[in-house]
Amino acid sequence: MSLSSLNAGTSWRAQLLRCGRRAQLPVGRRFHTRLAISQPNRSTRPTLMRATTLQPTIEAYLSSSTTTSSSSLKTTTSVAIVPPYAGQGNYSTSTASPANVVTPKEVNPATHYIPPQTGIIASLPASWIPYAELIRLDKPTGTYYLFFPTLFSTLLAAPMAAEVITPLQVLGTSGLFFAGALIMRGAGCAINDLWDRNLDPHVERTKFRPIARRALSPQSAVLFTGTQLLAGLGILLQFPSQCLWYGIPSLPLVVAYPLAKRVTHYPQAVLGLAFSWGAIMGFPALGIDLLANQDALMAAGALYTSCIAWTILYDMIYAHMDIKDDVAAGIKSIALRHEHNTKAVLTGLAAAQVGLLGAAGVAAGCGPVFFVGSCGSAVATLGWMIWKVQLKSVPNCWWWFKNGCLLTGGGISLGLFGEYLAQYYGLYEKDEHSDGVTVS
């Protein structure tokens, strides 16, 4: 055998041996062998390296590769991790760079709580925001609905008082009632949220309320509610002493409403009893003893039941916004009970409201200004709302709930105020004198 053939055979055997040994290497080592990087001034033959030794090299290589491929970008994008029920807007992020933190505008408001960016609440300190949201400070419509019955009764009772009630007295009494409505509405919302703290997280519209998202503990909410009730008592004590005895019976109704939705399909009736209580309060506030004045008692009773019908009417529209979530959460409402004949029920409630309002005017001895202004505007605004409201549309129901308050409540108030001015300035007496009728 020649030397060249021997060398060739030896070379062939060496190569075969190396291939066999390479085939027996673990998968991880073969992987790292292929990723081995040649060093300068050394042989270009791949060098076998341990995984622990090679790891920093691989990370540096990948880092440099990523930087090179994205060199055309001026900044890199970082992702903020926002918990679904983050309290008070304290979002935590996965990046240490403040410039790249995702702002609340980039968060999906359907799945994450976003603190108010505009309005009165946005200007408050962060620690105050949950309390302001608890009393719905940014949603004053409920306060207006609670205030209007007190305004109705004040204006209706003013001409019936034994002493002449001046416009300034009417204004002062109405201002106190508004302050009381603001405070007591907030207390009612807090009580409602305390009862519903285990239900609100399952309803789309209420899942980010302060107690539901755990921005406020139930203990803090109870303490805050007690403070509100004391403030409401302070407002009540500014009225004649008999108002205290007329006002206290309304508190059990405020507490009972959140429970009613668990046992009956008509919790709006309980809400009407509570929200309409102010329709009685205007009479004792102006010194009229309802137990001693039969006409005033009849007027107050008719006005109170009229406001109950109005409350059920507008809250039935309001309940349609939550109808799907109420089914899932097991909450009962009049909207679910009469889902397929809602507008017929609304029409009946509107007729009852206007009829009882007219009866209150008759008992109080009101003239044509009241019947045209108050009753006429109630017929027009309620009829328009019932005709136009789209019960399957949440935004449309909210629009009519919010604006129907001002349309119907404002119209009735203007009619009552016009009636009060007509009687205060003796306009009806002048008309009677012009017709040749002697007034004693």
Side-chain angles (χ1 to χ4, degrees), residues 234 286 334 344 374:
L286 296 180
I334 192 173
S374 294

Side-chain angles (χ1 to χ4, degrees), residues 249-296:
S250 66
L251 294 179
L253 297 172
V254 175
V255 177
Y257 165 66
L259 299 177
K261 66 181 73 174
R262 293 165 170 80
V263 297
T264 178
H265 280 96
Y266 300 96
Q268 285 74 21
V270 181
L271 181 69
L273 293 173
F275 258 58
S276 304
W277 197 263
I280 300 173
M281 297 298 296
F283 293 87
L286 296 180
I288 299 175
D289 187 355
L290 292 176
L291 299 179
N293 190 327
Q294 188 69 22
D295 291 337

Side-chain angles (χ1 to χ4, degrees), residues 120-121 130-143 182 185-186 188-190 192-193 196 200 205-206 209-210 228 318:
I120 187 173
I121 292 184
Y131 294 97
E133 291 177 327
L134 183 66
I135 65 174
R136 317 289 197 268
L137 189 62
D138 57 336
K139 298 178 176 65
T141 303
T143 301
L182 178 64
R185 188 260 180 150
C189 290
N192 180 80
D193 289 3
D196 291 350
D200 283 345
R205 184 178 53 82
T206 62
R209 285 178 174 174
Q228 289 179 284
Y318 186 79

